[in-house]
Amino acid sequence: MAASLFIVATPIGNLEDLTFRAVRVLGEVAVVACEDTRHTRVLLDHYGISSLLVSYHEHNEAKRTQELLGRLEAGQSVALVSDAGTPLISDPGYRLVSAAVEAGITVVPVPGVSAAVTALSASGLPTDAFCFAGFFPSKQTQRLRLLKQHEGAAATLIFYEAPHRILETLDDIERVLGDRRVVIARELSKIHEEFLRGTPGELRTILAARDVIRGEMTVLIAKAEHPPVNTTPVAEAVGELMGQGMGRMEAIKAVARSRGMSKRDVYRAVEES
Ligand code: SAM
């Protein structure tokens, strides 16, 4: 049978959150590529798995990708894991998976935990649509810009954040998005698992009162109750699109669609301007 690259999700805290299938696959492959061999050895030892481990992290991704592709092309199956959760989700692996796809190698996901979806499922925020945006940037200007970009999104927003930056980030959320409902999911699946729910200001007060703010955190923000109203006059919006190279009728159609107006009304507004 041709070799496959398995993308195996591992626990984000509780070692019981590893699937039976993941245990089997991790035991059957020729090699397990992981971020930190000592960290993953603890998990494999827990399950009595003695597979060969090789490191694969952001500093050796390019070199290791070639080595692992070589193994796969020679018929050896490889599993990729990260320190926690689903590989590639704010974790290394994209380079390897895209190279494997390019090389025609079968890539098999072995699903399991990811902090983003785990947090969403118990957050109490709407789950019909969500937007996972990875880690908040560490620089405030970039953080504010990112929040502004997502201001009108019709979806629950999900971010990863480090505990030492959470107070500043809550201030920025309040500054850009106001009194939205926010949920902080902390230490998911661990002994001190906690969900904090409130406005950014309320959560700031709760956390600032603690001696230390620690633990892994996923931050969820409710979508806007009333998406921001587009205040650009209709004719101007059509003009802007035409300025970007769109034909007149095409621009009228696009503006009508985005504003829920009839084409005739947009056309009339353009004619009267
Ligand atoms: N690949 C992982 C996944 O699928 O969730 C995420 C890896 S990313 C490097 C680590 C970040 O995920 C943490 O800084 C935190 O924001 C979030 N995270 C990981 N484990 C968590 C947990 N047990 N509780 C809450 N958030 C967690």
Side-chain angles (χ1 to χ4, degrees):
M1 205 177 75
S4 300
L5 170 62
F6 294 93
I7 309 302
V8 183
T10 58
I12 57 170
N14 190 324
L15 288 187
E16 289 179 12
D17 292 334
L18 189 70
T19 67
F20 287 109
R21 182 172 170 221
V23 172
R24 179 178 57 73
V25 168
L26 290 172
E28 283 176 2
V29 291
V31 60
V32 176
C34 60
E35 286 185 87
D36 177 343
T37 52
R38 278 171 307 180
H39 180 94
T40 298
R41 181 58 70 201
V42 173
L43 177 73
L44 296 199
D45 282 351
H46 184 80
Y47 285 95
I49 299 167
S50 54
S51 300
L52 177 67
L53 287 175
V54 297
S55 68
Y56 179 91
H57 46 67
E58 54 180 341
H59 304 297
N60 69 3
E61 256 191 294
K63 180 168 151 264
R64 277 284 197 261
T65 291
Q66 289 316 312
E67 287 173 22
L68 294 168
L69 278 185
R71 282 182 182 269
L72 286 156
E73 278 161 356
Q76 293 185 7
S77 283
V78 171
L80 175 71
V81 300
S82 61
D83 278 351
T86 301
L88 280 85
I89 307 303
S90 295
D91 266 337
Y94 170 70
R95 200 189 282 257
L96 177 62
V97 172
S98 55
V101 169
E102 187 89 352
I105 288 160
T106 307
V107 182
V108 182
V110 180
V113 192
S114 188
V117 173
T118 305
L120 177 67
S121 67
S123 67
L125 296 178
T127 53
D128 53 338
F130 63 90
C131 170
F132 170 64
F135 276 99
F136 275 113
S138 55
K139 292 213 172 71
Q140 191 190 30
T141 44
Q142 292 173 8
R143 209 157 51 221
L144 292 170
R145 194 177 313 134
L146 182 70
L147 285 163
K148 191 80 193 148
Q149 273 166 14
H150 289 89
E151 189 182 14
T156 296
L157 306 176
I158 309 177
F159 298 91
Y160 289 154
E161 184 54 297
H164 65 274
R165 270 199 303 264
I166 188 67
L167 296 183
E168 291 166 49
T169 296
L170 287 168
D171 286 344
D172 292 341
I173 294 172
E174 185 167 46
R175 194 161 144 192
V176 178
L177 304 177
D179 265 355
R180 297 261 186 109
R181 278 184 300 154
V182 173
V183 177
I184 295 177
R186 211 178 64 82
E187 295 286 79
L188 290 164
S189 81
K190 303 183 194 177
I191 296 169
H192 299 293
E193 178 176 277
E194 175 180 49
F195 283 83
L196 298 170
R197 300 179 174 90
T199 63
E202 287 165 353
L203 297 188
R204 195 186 195 293
T205 306
I206 294 170
L207 287 173
R210 297 187 176 178
D211 292 339
V212 271
I213 303 174
R214 57 160 74 101
E216 303 210 83
M217 294 178 175
T218 298
V219 178
L220 306 99
I221 308 174
K223 65 185 160 198
E225 297 272 323
H226 305 289
V229 178
N230 193 335
T231 51
T232 309
V234 169
E236 209 176 295
V238 172
E240 274 173 19
L241 292 178
M242 288 172 66
Q244 290 163 22
M246 221 182 242
R248 189 166 187 253
M249 282 320 290
E250 204 187 341
I252 287 174
K253 251 195 257 172
V255 170
R257 202 170 39 238
S258 71
R259 305 209 176 188
M261 292 171 70
S262 72
K263 274 182 285 181
R264 188 160 14 128
D265 286 347
V266 175
Y267 184 82
R268 194 174 300 138
V270 172
E271 287 293 297
E272 285 168 3
S273 68

